[in-house]
Amino acid sequence: SADIQSYLGGFPVSARPASALYRARMFVRRHRLGVSAALALLVALVGGISATVWQAGRAQREAQKAEQVKEYLVGIFMDADPERADVTGLTDRELLDRGAERVRYELDGQPEVQSELLLTIGQVYRNLGSYEEATPLVQEAMGLREDLFDTGSDPVAEARNELGWLQYLEGNWAEAEGTLREVVATRR
């Protein structure tokens, strides 16, 4: 009689060995709503903590990248310091050439920062009308980005877009059309 009452009430019965799993199963059966709510809260908590940790890591990487870019730019301006004897009469293009070389050797092992700066220097060369200097830098930046990211990612599309415009400006219209069509397809 006591076992029947226990069974109907969702409690363990004495006629069966009371293993931990059996007792837990009976507890969950008795308190379904509470256990479900606690489980949902636990899943939400773990998910929230995971997302926060991921975002913190991403923010830290972006902060490091920004710091490296800042240090690089400060170095470029130091290279242009008129107080230094070796920069007297340095042209914009010579300064860019030095900057591109510094990106390659100072930021070796940091491909994301390298690609960002190489692409930027390539864009400055394009704006100066030096397409032949810009193209290899943009291609190098695109190669670095293709190694880092999925080929359909926005960073790769950004570099590919710049390459397409350079091809167009150099008069390679067929190549430019193919490259820019890839960019449009990726961005869609």
Side-chain angles (χ1 to χ4, degrees):
S1 171
D3 275 352
I4 291 173
Q5 288 297 332
S6 294
Y7 178 78
L8 292 175
F11 293 95
V13 295
S14 61
R16 178 179 180 164
S19 69
L21 183 61
Y22 172 68
R23 293 177 143 246
R25 196 170 66 231
M26 295 307 285
F27 179 82
V28 168
R29 207 164 131 194
R30 261 191 335 267
H31 303 288
R32 286 181 192 184
L33 184 62
V35 170
S36 296
L39 188 58
L41 182 63
L42 180 65
V43 168
L45 187 62
V46 168
I49 289 171
S50 298
T52 302
V53 167
W54 179 77
Q55 285 288 346
R58 185 174 177 199
Q60 184 178 10
R61 286 189 302 276
E62 287 298 319
Q64 288 172 341
K65 182 175 154 185
E67 182 65 26
Q68 291 164 341
V69 169
K70 180 195 77 152
E71 288 173 11
Y72 167 80
L73 291 175
V74 167
I76 289 290
F77 285 117
M78 293 303 288
D79 279 352
D81 184 359
E83 300 277 324
R84 294 180 48 194
D86 64 330
V87 297
T88 306
L90 195 64
T91 68
D92 294 340
R93 290 172 199 253
E94 291 168 335
L95 191 60
L96 284 172
D97 290 340
R98 283 185 177 193
E101 284 308 308
R102 285 185 66 189
V103 166
R104 289 187 179 107
Y105 72 83
E106 285 183 15
L107 298 174
D108 189 35
Q110 299 173 44
E112 193 170 351
V113 178
Q114 262 185 327
S115 73
E116 187 77 29
L117 290 170
L118 288 172
L119 186 63
T120 301
I121 294 170
Q123 290 169 333
V124 172
Y125 271 123
R126 175 183 44 86
N127 291 339
L128 291 172
S130 298
Y131 310 134
E132 56 283 343
E133 284 92 0
T135 300
L137 293 172
V138 171
Q139 288 172 333
E140 187 175 348
M142 190 170 75
L144 288 168
R145 287 180 177 198
E146 286 174 339
D147 290 343
L148 287 171
F149 306 105
D150 180 43
T151 54
S153 68
D154 194 50
V156 174
E158 179 186 15
R160 191 171 281 136
N161 185 59
E162 183 64 28
L163 181 62
W165 281 111
L166 282 168
Q167 291 167 339
Y168 172 79
L169 292 170
E170 290 177 318
N172 301 327
W173 296 298
E175 284 181 61
E177 181 182 7
T179 303
L180 292 173
R181 284 187 184 276
E182 288 178 33
V183 173
V184 170
T186 298
R187 292 202 167 152
R188 277 193 181 145

